[in-house]
Amino acid sequence: METRRDVFQAIADPTRRQIIGMIAHKPQNVNSLAEKFDVTRQAVSLHIKILIECGLIEIKKQGRERICEARLDTLSEVSAWVEQYKTFWTSRFAALENHLETLKSKDNEDTTTR
């Protein structure tokens, strides 16, 4: 049974993040993408295949060309995951800041009563 790749696998690789960034602005054909990397066309094709499996890009055929188009709504899954930790850590840092202010105030009271 083949497991479906998820968006986190796609963004884990810097080459795939570059590809996403390149086609997010403008759809491009596979050959022009491959020319921009210092790896084989086969390696770029594998990255593109993974991005397709993750639902981040789609290939459209125009004549003999294969055009990569971004489908970035899948990144909302990453955004939601990051947001939950951002919320968690924001509240933890606020609690730490309050605790440090309390300690500072207590320390100031101790030095003024001496």
Side-chain angles (χ1 to χ4, degrees):
M1 181 175 138
E2 184 179 318
T3 56
R4 184 181 184 281
R5 296 181 191 271
D6 68 14
V7 69
F8 295 95
Q9 288 175 300
I11 64 171
D13 184 272
T15 301
R16 289 193 288 270
R17 289 192 304 268
Q18 271 188 284
I19 292 170
I20 292 166
M22 292 163 74
I23 65 171
H25 302 290
K26 179 180 122 186
Q28 296 185 38
N29 74 40
V30 175
N31 289 329
S32 68
L33 284 172
E35 290 171 1
K36 295 173 183 160
F37 293 95
D38 194 23
V39 295
T40 65
R41 187 184 185 294
Q42 184 178 2
V44 172
S45 291
L46 179 59
H47 286 299
I48 290 171
K49 179 182 179 212
I50 291 169
L51 291 168
I52 291 168
E53 290 173 0
C54 295
L56 287 172
I57 67 171
E58 175 177 281
I59 299 288
K60 294 198 174 182
K61 292 190 178 186
Q62 292 180 353
R64 293 192 301 164
E65 289 190 337
R66 295 173 51 216
I67 307 295
C68 297
E69 290 186 2
R71 297 288 174 250
L72 302 181
D73 53 321
T74 309
L75 288 176
S76 63
E77 183 181 341
V78 175
S79 179
W81 184 81
V82 168
E83 189 59 37
Q84 75 180 358
Y85 289 101
K86 180 181 174 188
T87 302
F88 171 78
W89 284 109
T90 299
S91 69
R92 299 299 286 186
F93 285 131
L96 176 60
E97 185 175 19
N98 289 339
H99 179 68
L100 293 174
E101 286 298 322
T102 301
L103 291 176
K104 185 177 175 183
S105 295
K106 184 179 178 195
D107 190 42
N108 284 344
E109 288 175 11
D110 289 345
T111 57
T112 56
T113 57
R114 288 185 194 167

